C-alpha cells in the first residue's frame, strides 16, 4: 500500500499542477519540459496508451501557443469549453460554489483539513483536488484519500475529462486529459470504497 500511495502522490502532484498552473509557472515549467523529453513514460506508475506521448512533444500550432491554450481552457475571456470545477458538472444549475462545493468544504472541515484557496477560487477545481489527493497520499491518510476520490473527484472527473479531451484542441492538453483519464482509472482500481453515483448536468 505504501508504494501505491507514493505512486498516487507523484502522479497527482504532476497532473494537478498542470491543470491548475500555467505552463510557464515555476510549479509547472520543469514538468512541461520533462513531458516533452522522451523516456518519462517508462517511469509513469499507471498504465496508459503510449501513443499519447506524441501529444506532449508536438509543436505549438501557428495560431496558439501552449500558454495561450491554457488561458483559453482555464481562464477565458470566452466561455470555458470544459469548466474545471466539480460543481459545474454536479449541480443542476451548473454554478460555481454550488451544493457539491459546499459538501466538499464541509468534508474538509469535518476532517480538519486546512485547504486554503485563493479568493473567489472554488475548492473543487480539478487541479486543486488532484493536489489535495497528492498531499493526502503523502501523509498516508488512506481513508481521507479514498473519500476524497470516491465522493468528490471521481463522480465528475471522467465526464469532465471526456469533454476536456474533445475540446482541448492543443495536442499537449489533449494528451494531458488522456493521461489523466488513464491514471484515474488506475487509482479507481486501487480504491477500497465504491465511487459515489451522482447525477451529472453537463
Amino acid at each position: 500500500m505504501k508504494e501505491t500511495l507514493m505512486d498516487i502522490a507523484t502522479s497527482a502532484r504532476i497532473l494537478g499542477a498542470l491543470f491548475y498552473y500555467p505552463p510557464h509557472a515555476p510549479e509547472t515549467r520543469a514538468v512541461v519540459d520533462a513531458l516533452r523529453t522522451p523516456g518519462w513514460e517508462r517511469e509513469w506508475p499507471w498504465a496508459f496508451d503510449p501513443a499519447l506521448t506524441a501529444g506532449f512533444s508536438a509543436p505549438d500550432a501557428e495560431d496558439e501557443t501552449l500558454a495561450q491554450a491554457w488561458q483559453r481552457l482555464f481562464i477565458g475571456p470566452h466561455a470555458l469549453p470544459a469548466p474545471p470545477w466539480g460543481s459545474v458538472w454536479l449541480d443542476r444549475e451548473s454554478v460555481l460554489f454550488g451544493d457539491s462545493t459546499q459538501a466538499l468544504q464541509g468534508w474538509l472541515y469535518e476532517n480538519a483539513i486546512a485547504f486554503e484557496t485563493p479568493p473567489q477560487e472554488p475548492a473543487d477545481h480539478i487541479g486543486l483536488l488532484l493536489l489535495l489527493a497528492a498531499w493526502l497520499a503523502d501523509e498516508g491518510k488512506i481513508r481521507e484519500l479514498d473519500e476524497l476520490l470516491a465522493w468528490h473527484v471521481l463522480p465528475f472527473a471522467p465526464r469532465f475529462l471526456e469533454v476536456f479531451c474533445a475540446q482541448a484542441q492543443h495536442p499537449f492538453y489533449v494528451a494531458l486529459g488522456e493521461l489523466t483519464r488513464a491514471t484515474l482509472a488506475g487509482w479507481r482500481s486501487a480504491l477500497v470504497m465504491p465511487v459515489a453515483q451522482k447525477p451529472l448536468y453537463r
Side-chain angles (χ1 to χ4, degrees):
M1 189 63 192
K2 184 177 180 180
E3 183 176 350
T4 298
L5 290 174
M6 290 176 59
D7 288 344
I8 290 176
T10 299
S11 52
R13 189 175 299 106
I14 291 170
L15 298 174
L18 290 170
F19 277 110
Y20 192 67
Y21 298 105
H24 54 275
E27 295 85 352
T28 51
R29 190 180 301 119
V31 175
V32 171
D33 290 344
L35 291 175
R36 287 178 158 173
T37 303
W40 67 267
E41 65 275 10
R42 293 191 294 271
E43 304 297 326
W44 197 255
W46 308 96
F48 67 92
D49 181 355
L52 68 80
T53 59
F56 287 117
S57 56
D60 286 338
E62 291 185 6
D63 60 340
E64 186 176 59
T65 66
L66 185 60
Q68 289 169 333
W70 187 87
Q71 178 80 20
R72 172 176 57 82
L73 291 167
F74 297 105
I75 302 297
H78 304 297
L80 304 187
W85 303 280
S87 64
V88 175
W89 306 87
L90 294 168
D91 282 24
R92 188 180 299 275
E93 303 299 325
S94 295
V95 295
L96 297 180
F97 294 102
D99 290 343
S100 63
T101 312
Q102 302 302 317
L104 171 62
Q105 291 173 332
W107 177 82
L108 292 168
Y109 178 80
E110 291 168 6
N111 287 278
I113 298 173
F115 187 53
E116 296 184 6
T117 60
Q120 305 307 312
E121 177 69 84
D124 59 350
H125 187 291
I126 186 67
L128 289 175
L129 290 172
L130 293 174
L131 291 171
L132 176 58
W135 180 78
L136 292 172
D138 268 338
E139 295 293 314
K141 295 181 179 291
I142 299 173
R143 176 187 60 80
E144 292 89 342
L145 177 63
D146 278 354
E147 291 177 358
L148 175 71
L149 296 177
W151 297 352
H152 303 290
V153 178
L154 291 174
F156 85 92
R159 175 59 181 160
F160 158 73
L161 291 167
E162 177 186 4
V163 177
F164 182 84
C165 290
Q167 299 292 329
Q169 299 178 15
H170 193 288
F172 184 97
Y173 285 108
V174 174
L176 173 62
E178 295 292 359
L179 179 62
T180 306
R181 291 172 83 174
T183 300
L184 291 187
W187 294 1
R188 184 167 188 163
S189 68
L191 273 179
V192 174
M193 63 193 312
V195 174
Q197 299 299 310
K198 298 183 180 182
L200 297 170
Y201 296 98
R202 285 183 70 122

